[in-house]
Each structure stands twice: as structure tokens, then as C-alpha cells.
Amino acid sequence: MQHHLYADAHTRDAALASAPYGMFICTADGTFDAVNAAFEKLTGFAADELLGTRSFESLLDPAELAKRRAELPPLAAIGARYEGEWTSVRRNGTTIRVVLALAPLVTDSAQTGTVLVGEPARYVGIVIDMTRYALSEARLWYVAHHDGVTRLPNQTLFTERLDMMIERCARNGNGFSVVIAELDHLRKLRDALGLHAAELVLQIVGERLRGLFPNDGTIASISGTQFALLINESGAAAETFATEALGRIAESIDCGGTALNITASIGIVAYPADGADAPTLMRRAGVALSAASAVHGNAVRRFSTALEGQAARRFELERMLREALERQQLHLVYQPQVTLSNGRIAQVETLLRWNHPQRGLISPVEFVPVAEEAGLIETIGEWVIRTACRDAGKLLRLTGNLPRVAVNVSPQQFQRQNLFETIRSALEDAALDPSYLEVEITEGVLLGDTELALQTLHSLRELGVEVALDDFGTGYSSLAYLTRFPLNRLKIDRSFVMRMNTDPQCEALVGAIIAMAHALKLRVTAEGVETAEQAAQLEALGCDEAQGFWFSRPITVAALCNLLKPLGAV
Ligand code: C2E
Ligand code: CA
Ligand code: CA
């Protein structure tokens, strides 16, 4: 029994009166119902100027209130408690910085925690003068528990609340969800717009999420770029909420006159199904979030053990890949691309190979996406460019005969200022004429920072490097892309070539792509040609070049050297 907590009414009134912090009680619309002496002293107003006439909001600085309106929840929406830092205007017009804490008043006849039915709702408020306690514990506590940019609770406070939530739900058997949202391409946004604009975006998104937020939950800013939310739903309602949140975030943001369209990715875990403690729940929410942002972002993913397995394999692959870089387990192979009309090698495409001492050959299909996600593709890509140029220089000296060498370049490599410089210096170091080099890009390049990518491509063309568009037909394949990119060559994806001799429509489509490319003065290469029949069909359709196992599998640089040597040479 906790009788000692419930003093008689007279003692309680006395306690309120002599409490050293400003305290008040208000009705559901915020009108003062009672204030204590410390509150009168703090604000300069006498009780009878406040009671029944003014609301606590009327004591807040109106300009600040207008700006931060969304941060102050309606009283009815406060579940456990609200606290925030505000500027209050005193009777004499001077202002003070205060921490305002609000909580529903629970009458003692309702010790179970529910407000008595039929009794009008009341709220209790505490106001602490922050200027006086500028460096006090309260102030330090506030600073240590809130995010400086969004003013939302930070990781520390979120973890405390998560622990509390787990404790409560473990007792009453309820479930809840942890939802983590992260803006897509935040780094790119920061690079393009600067830190200040990126912070503004975070603030706006924070406000939007708060506006959506169901009554008794918590929304926090964690790890600088993520929002974490606790919601009292463990089922499908969490997804509904998350989808709604994506929609709200996607509404355009006015950033100094420019309309920004931001998307986010969201991961969801449920207590207790996905974990019984905070670290497990947070880790798994992170796994779900990564899965959501892995493809294009703008998606919601719920945690599953299958996702965790994938994440573990990716993590292991990433660790091994870093090791492979150090131990030089990567090498290049070359696949010839043949001119159909005369059988000569027009280009060779460099393809990455990873020979792992225990696991054997690991396919680039498996490790290139991991490298892209782990931020390793720039290092690997630079190594590929340098090695390809060096090999090409050697081949030319040894054979006197060199087809163009095509290098695959990931969209991420275009997001850095220095791709052009990397290529230029690799060519120079290898003493190779730029016309021997070609870059193969995918449509993904145009999904990122288009300006920078286009500028890099134009500079490369000016230098004499050729540009090919890879995997045509698999992505958006928009005609607009073909005219926007400064291209020399189009590569038709293998999936078309595969279906061509069984599907007449597919054959018609390939014919149309070829005609269109020719109209735009582009050469066309068909990928994945595996049979003589396919090769003949492509030649009949007017395709310029072909690449595939029918002509040659990817081969080592030594084998390529033998292939290029003029007949009779040793
Ligand atoms: P991609 O650029 O489309 O490369 C062509 C892929 O098709 C290669 O697979 C090649 O071995 C395969 N191929 C060629 N002819 C045939 C054929 O007749 N039949 C079949 N079934 N396959 C054929 P690979 O070497 O496994 O590379 C896969 C992908 O990995 C590449 O697709 C490319 O997107 C990526 N990749 C490879 N090397 C690099 C690199 O150095 N940098 C980057 N960023 N990506 C690379
Ligand atoms: Ca390619
Ligand atoms: Ca391709």
C-alpha cells in the first residue's frame, strides 16, 4: 500500500503553495484553474489576473509560438507528459526562457491511472526558469536529452522511454512498435544544398512526423539523420501509419525558393514478437530500415528473420570484401565485343573477378551491390580504371593492336567530383590515348545528381573517352535519356537477346531499338549472344556489334594478349 503518497487535501494545497517551482493547474482548453506563489513571482501576474481568464499559452512569446506551434501538442494529446523549452513573456513585458512541463492530472480516486469518468479533464503544469538555472542540472538534462537541430528527444531520452515502454508492456501484456525513418540520399542533399538546408529539411520532416503522430507516443531524433517513433500498435496499423508518414514526407518542401522532393525509408519492429529488449529491437529496426532503403528507398519494411539472415550475409561479405581489397584478391577479365559484319574485335569489356581463397570465385552480381552500399565502390572502381588502363597500355606495346577497352562505372562513382580526374590521370600514368577507353554507364547515373554526372560525361567526351549505355531495356529506358546523355553506343540487355528467337514481338522490339539508336547516331551492341542463330538474327536486324559466349567468354589478360597478337608473331 502507498498511503504515504496521498496526503490530505490541506497538506497538498500547502505543498503546491510552497513549491519552489512555478506550478499551475489548467482546464482542457488551457485556462488557469490554480497557480502557486512561485508561478506568480515568475510571471509577475497575480493569481486573480490569470484564473478563469487567461491560458498558459497566452504567457508564451507569440512569435515563437507561431513558429513552433507544431511542437506544443494539444493538451488532450498528451499521454504521459510533455516538456519543452519556451520563452515566456512576463507581466512587465520582459521575457524569460523556461522549461514547460505538462501532464494530465490524475485524481487520487483513480490510482489505476485513468482519469475519473465524468470529471472534467485537468492538467498540471510546471514552469522552471532556465535563465536562473542556465547551467543547472535541469538545463544540462534538457540539452543532454534533446537533439539540437530538431529539438526532439534524442537517442538517450528515446532509449529511456523505450525501456519504460518495454517495462510497462511486459506488465500489462500489450504490444507496441518501434518505427525508424531515415531520409533517402541525405548525404547527397547535404553535398548539394549545404548543411543548413539539410538541417532545415530535418526540422520540417520532424514537424510533419510530429503532426501525424498518434496521441501517446514518442518521436525522437536519433543518430543525426534518423527519426525513431514508438507507437502503441503492434499490428498492421503500424504499417498504415508508416505509409502515411512516407506520403507526408514526400510532400514538396520549399527550401529558399526551390521545391525539394524528399523521400524516406522506414523500418518497423514489433514488441514482443521481434525482440524483448531495447538493443535487439533497435538493431532489428535498423535491419528493416536497411532493407527498405536498399532498393530505391521510399519504402516501408517490417523486420523478419529472413531479412536478418540477408543482413548478416551482406555484413560478412562486406568484411571479406575489405579484406580482398587489402590482399589483392580482385582481378580483371576481358570479354571481346565483335563487329558483326567483319568479325573483328571492336571493344573488350573489363569484368571484375574476386577469387576468394576459401569460397572460390564470387560473382560481381553478388559483390558489386554490396560494395556500392558499403561505400567501397569508389576505391574498387578506381582500381578497375587504373588496372584497365595499365593492362591496355601493356597490350598495345606487346601486340601493336588494341581494341577499345570498356570499363563499367557505377552511379556512385559519378557522385564525386573526381571521377573525371581519376580517369584522366589513369590514362596519363599508363601513357594511353583516351580514345582507347570507354565507360559503360547505366541509367542509374541519371537518378542521382544529374548536373554533376552530365558534366563529368561531357568532359570525358571532350577528352576523347567514349560512353556506352549499358543494360538498355531493363530500367526506365526512356528516350529522353538517350538524347540527354552524350552517348556513343547503346548496349541491348541480354534479356532481349535471350527471348528474341522465341518471341516475335521481342525481335520487333530489338529491331526498333536498333533503328532508333541509329537515328540518334549511336552504335548498337547486343549482350549475351550465346548461339550462331542469335548472332545471325542480330546481324539481319542491323545490329553493329555483339558480345557473348558464342564469340568468347571473358578471358584473362594473358589470353587476350595472345588473341591480339598478329598471326605469326611469337
Ligand atoms: P554487365 O556489365 O552487363 O556485364 C556483362 C555480364 O554478362 C558479365 O557478367 C558477363 O560475364 C556476362 N555475359 C557475357 N556474355 C554472356 C553470355 O553469352 N551469356 C550469359 N549468360 N552471360 C554473359 P559478370 O562478369 O558476372 O558481371 C556481372 C555484372 O557485374 C556486370 O554486368 C556489371 O554490371 C557488374 N560488373 C562487373 N565488373 C564490374 C566493374 O568493374 N565495375 C562495376 N561497377 N560493375 C561491374
Ligand atoms: Ca557492362
Ligand atoms: Ca550489360
Side-chain angles (χ1 to χ4, degrees):
M1 294 304 258
Q2 300 186 318
H3 288 302
H4 58 283
L5 280 182
Y6 298 95
D8 63 82
H10 178 72
T11 314
R12 266 175 290 152
D13 287 348
L16 186 67
S18 47
Y21 295 117
M23 291 173 74
F24 63 84
I25 295 169
C26 66
T27 55
D29 63 0
T31 311
F32 290 110
D33 211 19
V35 298
N36 70 355
F39 190 82
E40 289 177 301
K41 194 154 167 254
L42 188 78
T43 60
F45 288 101
D48 54 5
E49 293 174 288
L50 301 171
L51 301 189
T53 55
R54 301 195 64 154
S55 71
F56 73 88
E57 278 187 18
S58 74
L59 300 192
L60 299 179
D61 173 18
E64 185 185 37
L65 188 61
K67 224 168 68 200
R68 297 175 48 205
R69 178 81 253 177
E71 289 179 42
L72 195 62
L75 285 170
I78 296 173
R81 68 173 171 183
Y82 161 80
E83 74 225 333
E85 224 185 291
W86 292 90
T87 304
S88 174
V89 185
R90 306 161 94 156
R91 192 172 193 279
N92 65 9
T94 58
T95 58
I96 39 167
R97 228 22 215 168
V98 297
V99 163
L100 170 69
L102 296 164
L105 191 65
V106 179
T107 57
D108 45 346
S109 50
Q111 291 168 27
T112 49
T114 47
V115 177
L116 265 193
V117 181
E119 210 168 89
R122 292 266 192 292
Y123 297 84
V124 58
I126 298 182
V127 179
I128 303 172
D129 180 355
M130 294 307 281
T131 39
R132 243 182 86 204
Y133 296 92
L135 288 168
S136 71
E137 253 177 78
R139 167 90 197 166
L140 289 176
W141 182 90
Y142 184 85
V143 170
H145 288 78
H146 291 81
D147 181 79
V149 173
T150 61
R151 293 174 196 269
L152 292 170
N154 65 7
Q155 175 103 50
T156 313
L157 189 50
F158 182 77
T159 310
E160 276 176 26
R161 298 210 171 143
L162 177 56
D163 284 335
M164 271 163 56
M165 190 84 155
I166 291 173
E167 223 172 90
R168 198 168 73 221
C169 288
R171 249 187 289 122
N172 63 20
N174 288 344
F176 70 91
S177 300
V178 180
V179 174
I180 298 189
E182 185 166 52
L183 303 185
D184 297 324
H185 316 299
L186 195 66
R187 197 185 73 185
K188 218 152 59 193
L189 197 74
R190 230 180 255 150
D191 290 352
L193 302 173
L195 191 62
H196 181 70
E199 286 185 353
L200 187 73
V201 169
L202 282 173
Q203 277 163 0
I204 291 171
V205 170
E207 262 162 44
R208 286 181 181 179
L209 288 176
R210 201 191 334 236
L212 267 182
F213 207 57
N215 292 347
D216 33 9
T218 282
I219 159 163
S221 278
I222 60 171
S223 73
T225 63
Q226 298 177 344
F227 295 97
L229 304 102
L230 289 181
I231 51 180
N232 283 328
E233 298 276 358
S234 57
E239 263 102 337
T240 311
F241 167 73
T243 310
E244 213 178 307
L246 281 191
R248 193 76 184 86
I249 294 171
E251 286 168 22
S252 116
I253 292 177
D254 176 34
C255 184
T258 345
L260 292 177
N261 292 299
I262 306 290
T263 59
S265 299
I266 294 184
I268 304 177
V269 282
Y271 172 91
D274 299 326
D277 58 80
T280 308
L281 287 169
M282 291 310 286
R283 186 170 45 73
R284 292 182 156 182
V287 167
L289 175 64
S290 302
S293 54
V295 199
H296 292 300
N298 199 23
V300 177
R301 286 282 177 283
R302 182 176 273 287
F303 171 80
S304 70
T305 41
L307 279 186
E308 190 160 48
Q310 272 172 31
R313 272 195 303 281
R314 288 212 140 202
F315 187 74
E316 169 65 2
L317 203 60
E318 185 186 324
R319 191 194 58 71
M320 281 169 28
L321 190 54
R322 288 181 195 280
E323 209 174 83
L325 270 176
E326 275 167 28
R327 302 191 181 167
Q328 300 176 332
Q329 290 167 359
L330 298 179
H331 69 273
L332 294 181
V333 290
Y334 294 83
Q335 188 176 30
Q337 299 172 352
V338 171
T339 303
L340 282 165
S341 60
N342 60 18
R344 292 217 186 98
I345 300 177
Q347 283 100 206
V348 288
E349 177 178 4
T350 59
L351 294 163
L352 252 178
R353 292 291 176 263
W354 175 7
N355 204 349
H356 189 269
Q358 279 86 46
R359 298 208 184 181
L361 220 52
I362 302 177
S363 161
V365 177
E366 205 178 331
F367 73 82
V368 167
V370 174
E372 286 175 339
E373 218 175 277
L376 289 171
I377 198 68
E378 284 171 49
T379 316
I380 295 177
E382 181 167 355
W383 178 86
V384 169
I385 291 165
R386 293 201 163 273
T387 309
C389 289
R390 207 173 327 113
D391 282 355
K394 263 189 240 162
L395 285 169
L396 185 60
R397 280 191 298 280
L398 283 170
T399 67
N401 173 25
L402 181 71
R404 199 175 293 111
V405 176
V407 169
N408 290 289
V409 182
S410 284
Q412 272 93 329
Q413 292 173 262
F414 277 92
Q415 282 158 27
R416 293 273 158 225
Q417 214 82 41
N418 57 8
L419 177 64
F420 172 77
E421 194 40 42
T422 302
I423 293 178
R424 201 200 51 76
S425 85
L427 286 164
E428 195 178 282
D429 292 351
L432 191 68
D433 191 278
S435 64
Y436 283 117
L437 189 70
E438 180 172 39
V439 290
E440 289 195 3
I441 59 171
T442 55
E443 286 170 332
V445 169
L446 266 198
L447 294 178
D449 180 348
T450 319
E451 277 317 305
L452 184 60
L454 283 175
Q455 194 189 315
T456 306
L457 288 172
H458 281 290
S459 312
L460 286 172
R461 284 291 303 270
E462 256 166 58
L463 189 67
V465 174
E466 296 216 338
V467 179
L469 185 64
D470 206 354
D471 304 338
F472 188 76
T474 55
Y476 299 89
S477 305
S478 128
L479 284 175
Y481 281 178
L482 293 184
T483 52
R484 283 195 71 191
F485 279 126
L487 299 174
N488 299 92
R489 189 161 73 100
L490 191 71
K491 296 186 74 179
I492 301 179
D493 191 68
R494 183 165 68 93
S495 53
F496 289 95
V497 176
M498 251 163 54
R499 297 205 315 265
M500 214 175 44
N501 47 11
T502 54
D503 179 352
Q505 272 190 333
C506 188
E507 185 179 4
L509 200 60
V510 171
I513 295 174
I514 293 169
M516 179 184 69
H518 284 166
L520 294 169
K521 308 255 181 308
L522 304 176
R523 298 198 315 281
V524 183
T525 308
E527 298 187 288
V529 179
E530 294 184 353
T531 65
E533 195 191 350
Q534 288 169 339
Q537 221 174 341
L538 286 161
E539 195 179 353
L541 289 172
C543 186
D544 305 285
E545 297 151 7
Q547 168 181 12
F549 296 166
W550 172 251
F551 299 98
S552 169
R553 293 201 168 243
I555 54 179
T556 63
V557 67
L560 180 62
C561 187
N562 287 329
L563 203 65
L564 296 176
K565 269 181 198 158
L567 286 177
V570 189

